[in-house]
Amino acid sequence: MGSSSSSYAPQTIYLDVDGKVQKVVFSRHCSPCDIKELLCSSSNIPRNTAIMVVDPEGALVSIDPTMPTNSPNSLYKVIPVSTGQLGDKEDIFQNVLSQVAEQFSRAFRINELKTEVTNRLAMLEKRVELEGLKVVEIEKCKNDLKKLRDEMTSRGGGRVNCPCKYNFSDDGKKVTPRRDVPNYPKYTLSQETVEALKKPTFDVWHWEHNEMLSCLEYMYHDLGLVKEFNMNPITLKRWLLAIQENYRNNPFHNFRHCFCVSQMMYGMIHLCNLQEKLTLTDMGILMTAAVCHDLDHPGYNNTYQINARTELAVRYNDISPLENHHCAVAFQILSLPECNIFANVDLEAFKQIRQGIITLILATDMARHGEILDSFKQKVDNFDFTNEEHVTCLKMVLIKCCDISNEVRPTEVAEPWVDCLLEEYFMQSDREKSEGLPVAPFMDRDKVTKPTAQIGFIKFVLIPMFETVMKLFPQIEEIMVQPLRDSRDHYEELKQIDDAMTE
């Protein structure tokens, strides 16, 4: 503040005008021409007269905003300059040039910089000499290192870098949205869309990213989450933007998949009347975990992370590396003030929300499928909505259902997702083959077909899980379980056709 205010302080000088003291005050932002006119006026000299200013010793004083101040005991004199004294134009020009050069030299400390650069160069040259590493040798070292790194990669020793946005060196990195709310169009959802959003039959392929963002925004408002957590609506928009921008363009694990899972969660909340059975905090945890559950997914699953010894696997000790990473990125985004939708929630409530979101995202690791489903089966026959452990287990099963719910949808919506998933699987298995890593048969493009990929998954994973949930919510049988049975029959028919053609 001090330096800023001093730069606006006026400059004061004192003149000897016909034996009297004349005080002159001007701003530091005046031009030399303005000051010259002021001096002429103060000294009773016509305005356009060429003048010079001298101090008591007769030395010239520059006429500019930086001219040195004096006191009433050391008066300056303003002297008109005749044409003869001025000399020719060339002398004037040279004089001006000299003054400008002097001021530039003073302003930029050219000589000091030259000296400093010269000294640094000398020091660096001496250092290179002392260490015996000439520039050529340094370049040779760099080339040798590159060759060594390439060789390690080709031998399979360089598989420590999973293509994740956030690695060990990015701990302090924030994930601010690249665009802000003004570029996020406002869509008005039709009543038809609002009703369709509540159903598993919703066609997720007809929407572009901004429309999906608007649908997610609507869900938070409709469920009462914005009001319950006192969310700033603009912060909600910014948070959703940051979420969308931190999903990668993978064939399957992308923002559209995030939207699918979130929309299915919204649909199950309405279908199962969860608003009457769970708290709004539970709703917030369910929806937010669904939105964040695959953030920054690199397109290669946990098996690859662990076998390839990637940074994520090392960081999380081979324990759900991807799911831990999704959680970390989710809370990195929430740590940004402009994206923190829970900014107005008190500390204890936020700790509960945070723990709930972490628990749900970690539950999406399919390696824990049997453990989580068995725990739910033990509780479902005597389920108690007032029991916190029961409710947590239900929420874990709900997010698992939504995460792998594509086959619940109509065939024309579900089948393209199978192609997307197989494409991502094949990308991974091709990489595993090239790196000498184990390849799962269900990911191998030489072994798997669409029917074989789906039949076992639907029969032994999806139907048993949804039928268990159906015990608690019978209303899902017609809308969710029956489509799974139909999908199983559909793929079994396709497999019979494939087998017949092969024979």
Side-chain angles (χ1 to χ4, degrees):
M1 290 295 288
S3 62
S4 173
S5 59
S6 65
S7 69
Y8 286 90
Q11 181 88 323
T12 303
I13 61 168
Y14 298 88
L15 302 177
D16 179 355
V17 180
D18 299 327
K20 294 180 182 178
V21 177
Q22 175 69 47
K23 182 179 177 182
V24 179
V25 180
F26 55 87
S27 164
R28 289 179 182 271
H29 300 288
C30 285
S31 68
C33 288
D34 293 336
I35 297 169
K36 183 182 162 188
E37 285 192 13
L38 184 61
L39 293 175
C40 286
S41 175
S42 303
S43 304
N44 302 318
I45 296 171
R47 282 177 55 193
N48 294 323
T49 306
I51 60 169
M52 61 183 181
V53 176
V54 296
D55 65 13
E57 278 125 34
L60 285 171
V61 180
S62 62
I63 302 174
D64 61 57
T66 63
M67 63 192 298
T69 56
N70 61 341
S71 69
N73 299 322
S74 177
L75 300 175
Y76 291 158
K77 260 198 172 182
V78 179
I79 302 171
V81 181
S82 67
T83 310
Q85 285 177 294
L86 282 173
D88 58 25
K89 289 182 181 178
E90 189 177 341
D91 289 340
I92 297 171
F93 186 62
Q94 288 296 332
N95 187 33
V96 171
L97 275 180
S98 299
Q99 287 187 28
V100 170
E102 185 185 346
Q103 287 187 20
F104 265 97
S105 181
R106 241 184 308 161
F108 297 108
R109 297 169 46 237
I110 291 169
N111 291 332
E112 288 92 328
L113 282 172
K114 277 185 183 175
T115 306
E116 189 179 345
V117 169
T118 305
N119 290 340
R120 286 197 181 187
L121 276 172
M123 187 176 69
L124 286 170
E125 285 171 358
K126 187 175 180 183
R127 187 170 164 189
V128 168
E129 267 182 17
L130 286 171
E131 294 175 2
L133 286 173
K134 303 293 186 217
V135 174
V136 176
E137 290 171 352
I138 293 171
E139 288 302 316
K140 184 176 179 297
C141 286
K142 285 181 181 176
N143 289 334
D144 289 344
L145 278 171
K146 185 177 182 303
K147 285 178 186 174
L148 183 61
R149 196 178 288 115
D150 291 344
E151 189 178 337
M152 286 173 67
T153 303
S154 65
R155 290 183 182 180
R159 297 188 307 267
V160 292
N161 289 319
C162 169
C164 295
K165 284 184 187 175
Y166 312 107
N167 54 31
F168 290 142
S169 61
D170 291 320
D171 282 337
K173 182 173 178 180
K174 298 298 183 185
V175 280
T176 314
R178 290 186 295 274
R179 56 192 176 124
D180 203 356
V181 170
N183 294 326
Y184 171 178
K186 172 68 177 173
Y187 290 97
T188 303
L189 303 183
S190 67
Q191 193 56 39
E192 183 185 5
T193 300
V194 165
E195 291 306 314
L197 270 175
K198 299 174 183 175
K199 298 172 185 174
T201 52
F202 187 81
D203 190 343
V204 296
W205 295 107
H206 287 169
W207 307 84
E208 54 97 18
H209 281 179
N210 283 336
E211 293 170 323
M212 290 188 276
L213 287 169
S214 287
C215 288
L216 289 170
E217 186 184 350
Y218 170 81
M219 294 175 201
Y220 270 74
H221 282 279
D222 180 58
L223 291 172
L225 302 180
V226 175
K227 185 177 179 183
E228 172 68 15
F229 299 114
N230 193 17
M231 292 179 190
N232 182 330
I234 301 298
T235 304
L236 175 63
K237 286 175 181 285
R238 286 204 189 98
W239 175 70
L240 287 169
L241 277 173
I243 292 293
Q244 183 235 309
E245 290 174 355
N246 281 280
Y247 273 91
R248 301 193 189 194
N249 293 323
N250 298 314
F252 184 91
H253 290 100
N254 50 39
F255 179 64
R256 194 174 298 275
H257 168 66
C258 150
F259 177 71
C260 271
V261 176
S262 305
Q263 185 269 322
M264 187 64 75
M265 180 66 78
Y266 177 72
M268 289 196 79
I269 287 170
H270 282 284
L271 185 60
C272 302
N273 297 318
L274 292 179
Q275 300 102 316
E276 299 173 8
K277 299 175 174 66
L278 301 179
T279 66
L280 277 168
T281 297
D282 290 325
M283 301 291 150
I285 290 168
L286 282 168
M287 286 302 300
T288 306
V291 169
C292 298
H293 83 284
D294 270 334
L295 274 168
D296 194 43
H297 195 298
Y300 300 89
N301 68 13
N302 279 331
T303 303
Y304 174 83
Q305 306 296 324
I306 293 165
N307 288 340
R309 301 188 299 281
T310 65
E311 287 196 45
L312 285 181
V314 172
R315 170 176 282 186
Y316 296 112
N317 305 308
D318 295 351
I319 301 168
S320 304
L322 289 181
E323 289 71 26
N324 274 296
H325 180 59
H326 306 324
C327 284
V329 177
F331 285 98
Q332 254 192 319
I333 293 170
L334 282 169
S335 73
L336 298 168
E338 66 270 27
C339 296
N340 186 5
I341 55 173
F342 299 115
N344 297 320
V345 172
D346 68 65
L347 186 61
E348 281 307 309
F350 178 73
K351 283 165 75 173
Q352 181 188 350
I353 292 167
R354 172 173 158 79
Q355 188 54 59
I357 291 169
I358 292 171
T359 299
L360 265 57
I361 293 178
L362 292 181
T364 61
D365 183 356
M366 286 303 293
R368 298 182 57 202
H369 176 78
E371 160 215 332
I372 293 169
L373 187 57
D374 286 346
S375 175
F376 183 63
K377 282 178 178 177
Q378 291 169 16
K379 299 173 177 61
V380 71
D381 291 329
N382 299 295
F383 196 86
D384 181 3
F385 279 98
T386 63
N387 184 315
E388 188 179 336
E389 187 184 342
H390 283 213
V391 170
T392 298
C393 192
L394 170 63
K395 288 188 291 187
M396 291 164 77
V397 171
L398 285 173
I399 196 167
K400 283 176 59 57
C401 287
C402 296
D403 188 23
I404 53 177
S405 62
N406 284 326
E407 291 302 329
V408 170
R409 300 181 186 275
T411 304
E412 65 273 14
V413 179
E415 198 156 347
W417 281 116
V418 183
D419 295 321
C420 294
L421 185 60
L422 288 178
E423 185 183 344
E424 199 166 293
Y425 280 173
F426 295 158
M427 280 170 53
Q428 176 171 320
S429 61
D430 290 347
R431 182 167 180 168
E432 287 168 333
K433 289 174 185 176
S434 72
E435 295 178 354
L437 296 173
V439 178
F442 69 89
M443 286 188 163
D444 192 335
R445 68 170 72 244
D446 300 322
K447 296 178 182 176
V448 73
T449 63
K450 211 187 279 191
T452 57
Q454 291 301 94
I455 291 170
F457 187 66
I458 296 170
K459 282 175 70 172
F460 302 114
V461 177
L462 289 176
I463 291 177
M465 180 167 66
F466 276 86
E467 284 182 341
T468 306
V469 175
M470 187 178 73
K471 290 182 180 180
L472 195 58
F473 303 109
Q475 61 267 45
I476 74 166
E477 179 171 17
E478 181 185 347
I479 298 173
M480 302 185 87
V481 179
Q482 191 55 47
L484 287 175
R485 295 168 181 158
D486 294 341
S487 181
R488 173 199 60 198
D489 297 343
H490 167 68
Y491 282 112
E492 283 183 336
E493 286 174 17
L494 286 180
K495 186 175 184 300
Q496 287 175 5
I497 294 169
D498 285 351
D499 291 346
M501 289 179 69
T502 303
E503 289 175 10

